[in-house]
Each structure stands twice: as structure tokens, then as C-alpha cells.
Amino acid sequence: MEKGRKVVVSALQFSCTDDVSTNVATAERLVRAAHAKGANIILIQELFEGYYFCQAQREDYFQRAKPYKGHPTILRMQKLAKELGMVIPVSFFEEANNAHYNSVAVVDADGTDLGLYRKSHIPDGPGYQEKFYFNPGDTGFKVFQTKFATIGIAICWDQWFPEAARAMVLQGAEILFYPTAIGSEPQDQGLDSRDHWKRVMQGHAGANLVPLVASNRIGKEIIETEHGKSEITFYGNSFIAGPTGEIISAADDKEEALLLAEFDLDKIKSKRKGWGVFRDRRPELYKVLLTLDGNSPTV
């Protein structure tokens, strides 16, 4: 019997400073450590170049955005990916003329830039005021054919929408990746979403019979806002789930972490076919999903 296609995935978790060079160096250190442990595809957390600046609505923070082409962090990760033979999705704040996006560039194991995904769902609430900075993504949900697997990438708030996960798997995604920045709620210190956050994504993995990798930051970040200081403690809990939603590897809420898990993609593909959820879909009955209120078509 032939051996299946096996891939080792990794999720990183670390606290960020507000210095780009320090954070990129931390990411590279952990990428190298993951490579030494056999990782093939490694996920770095959302907007890892600095603090999560969306706690505030400040015009000066637009200076953190850079164009996709020639972006220094992407170029550095392309060089690193080629050196190590690893796939590295790279999260960054993108400037595109007068538009701005929360984006990920997917770098293949030979250093090739496979393209861009722009975050589709943009949150707007206390501490997470992303609509001030980011246009809604215009790429649609995409998959990327890398050396090791066909992967789907979505970003943070996207992870709460089952439609996004299903769209990526329908296009052939074998593993889902979600770079994230989530923690406490400045308006309600008693609200802790970490278990809800994990269960939603475990559901995506189980419903689509694919592994899922989520990377989140840790640490306390204080941002000066137009109304004084705002503080978020990011709760980490990065994890890797298997194709039934089971947790394979998980981090805590305080420590830097490097998670690893190996999956046999051919074995999972066979199980996905046999389970029948894609065989028994009824797309013609799902037109209600193209509405906002369940009644009036919007497209």
C-alpha cells in the first residue's frame, strides 16, 4: 500500500512589541525552530509586525500600511521560505492606492509569492475598530496550491463565518488557516470569548472534515486612543484541530508557543468522501444564504 501525503503544520504564538524589526525577528526565530522540528507549513499570527493598533481610530496609524509589491516583511519571508523549504502565509497591513486592506500573502516553499487574500469580514466594536482602517476585502475566498497541500486562508473575524470555511473547502482546500488577534473586551472585562472562539473553528474543521490551524497573539497591549488609553490582553490559545474538530495541539494564554501536528492528507480525503457531507449537499436550496434578512435577495 502506498504511503499517504503527509504534512506537518505549525502555529506560532508570541507577544508583540510595537517595533517591526523585533517582531519580524521573533517570527523568523520561531519559524526556524518549527523547521528544525519538521514543520512544512507554518502560520504566524495576524498583523504580527506591531501592536494591534485597531484599538484606536488614529490617522497616524495609516502610516503602518505598505504596498503589497516590494513589502519588506514579505520579501524577507520569501527568502526564509526558500532557504528552509517551508510554506509561510504572511499577514500585513496593505496599502493599495487609496484603499487599505488586512491581507495575507502566501509564500510557497520555493519562495514564490502565490498571491494575496484580503480579509472579507471587517469587525467594528470597542477595541476592534477595524472598519476605520480596512476596506472590505475584494479577493473573495481563495485557495492556494502549495508544495505540501492546497490551503485556504482567512483572517480573524472571518473565522466566525461558516460560509467562508465551506467556500474554501469547496474549492479544494485541504487545510484551513486562520491568523488571529483576539483577546479581552475593553468595554467588558468579564467577557471571555476564548472557548467560544475555539469551538466555532472546531466546528468548521468537523463540518468540512479538514484540519484547521489558528494562531493568536499573547500579552497586554496599551494603545493611546482619542478617549484615553485602551487595553487588550490577548488570550493566545492557538491550536491545531483535526478533521473531526478534535484538538490535536493547543497553547495556553500566556506563554510563547510553537505547535505542531502531522496529517495524512490522503487518508483525510478518503474519510471526507466517505462521510458524504459534500455528496449530499443541496446548493439549489441555499439561495437564502444570498440574502441579509432571509427574504430579499441581495445579488
Side-chain angles (χ1 to χ4, degrees):
M1 181 179 294
E2 294 185 2
K3 293 183 179 180
R5 283 185 304 130
K6 294 188 178 180
V7 61
V8 178
V9 298
S10 179
L12 303 187
Q13 175 175 293
F14 57 92
S15 61
C16 290
T17 71
D18 209 26
D19 178 72
V20 174
S21 60
T22 298
N23 297 321
V24 174
T26 297
E28 178 170 337
R29 170 176 60 81
L30 290 170
V31 167
R32 290 185 180 278
H35 172 260
K37 293 178 179 292
N40 305 123
I41 308 173
I42 186 161
L43 184 64
I44 308 170
Q45 59 217 32
E46 180 188 18
L47 298 172
F48 65 91
E49 290 183 300
Y51 280 166
Y52 179 73
F53 53 88
C54 304
Q55 290 194 61
Q57 296 186 15
R58 288 174 45 176
E59 292 180 2
D60 59 316
Y61 282 163
F62 281 102
Q63 298 172 17
R64 297 174 180 236
K66 293 183 176 64
Y68 170 36
K69 296 300 181 184
H71 193 290
T73 299
I74 297 174
L75 293 175
R76 180 166 173 176
M77 291 299 163
Q78 285 183 267
K79 182 178 179 181
L80 183 63
K82 183 176 182 179
E83 175 193 341
L84 301 179
M86 300 178 71
V87 175
I88 309 175
V90 184
S91 172
F92 69 105
F93 184 11
E94 180 192 2
E95 179 184 73
N97 296 322
N98 286 307
H100 296 81
Y101 299 100
N102 186 337
S103 300
V104 167
V106 179
V107 179
D108 206 356
D110 62 358
T112 301
D113 182 349
L114 296 179
L116 188 70
Y117 168 70
R118 290 168 169 163
K119 186 173 182 176
S120 300
H121 303 95
I122 310 299
D124 186 31
Y128 302 89
Q129 300 175 70
E130 295 195 17
K131 278 187 167 66
F132 183 77
Y133 298 99
F134 306 130
N135 295 80
D138 58 2
T139 58
F141 302 110
K142 301 171 65 175
V143 299
F144 300 87
Q145 294 184 358
T146 75
K147 176 180 178 181
F148 301 107
T150 300
I151 65 174
I153 308 282
I155 303 170
C156 202
W157 189 227
D158 288 332
Q159 67 210 177
W160 295 86
F161 296 84
E163 300 91 342
R166 178 53 56 89
M168 290 185 284
V169 179
L170 280 173
Q171 295 176 79
E174 298 174 294
I175 311 170
L176 298 177
F177 291 85
Y178 290 95
T180 302
I182 190 170
S184 59
E185 305 289 337
Q187 84 286 2
D188 183 357
Q189 292 300 316
L191 178 58
D192 186 344
S193 63
R194 72 187 70 190
D195 291 335
H196 186 188
W197 174 75
K198 286 188 287 188
R199 286 192 296 266
V200 166
M201 284 184 283
Q202 289 177 258
H204 299 335
N208 292 284
L209 284 95
V210 294
L212 185 149
V213 183
S215 172
N216 188 26
R217 66 177 66 195
I218 51 172
K220 181 185 294 185
E221 297 181 11
I222 301 173
I223 296 288
E224 192 68 45
T225 79
E226 63 275 26
H227 305 296
K229 295 185 186 300
S230 178
E231 175 184 307
I232 292 178
T233 300
F234 293 91
Y235 56 58
N237 277 261
S238 302
F239 69 94
I240 301 172
T244 66
E246 75 279 22
I247 298 292
I248 303 293
S249 183
D252 64 17
D253 62 354
K254 293 181 176 62
E255 300 299 322
E256 181 177 285
L258 187 169
L259 307 179
L260 294 162
E262 182 180 72
F263 295 104
D264 185 327
L265 298 180
D266 288 335
K267 184 177 180 180
I268 294 170
K269 181 179 181 180
S270 179
K271 178 64 70 174
R272 188 164 56 247
K273 288 180 177 180
W275 202 248
V277 293
F278 289 92
R279 177 196 64 212
D280 296 337
R281 291 183 69 251
R282 298 289 305 280
E284 72 277 13
L285 302 181
Y286 306 152
K287 292 183 176 63
V288 68
L289 295 179
L290 300 178
T291 74
L292 292 175
D293 63 3
N295 290 300
S296 304
T298 57
V299 295

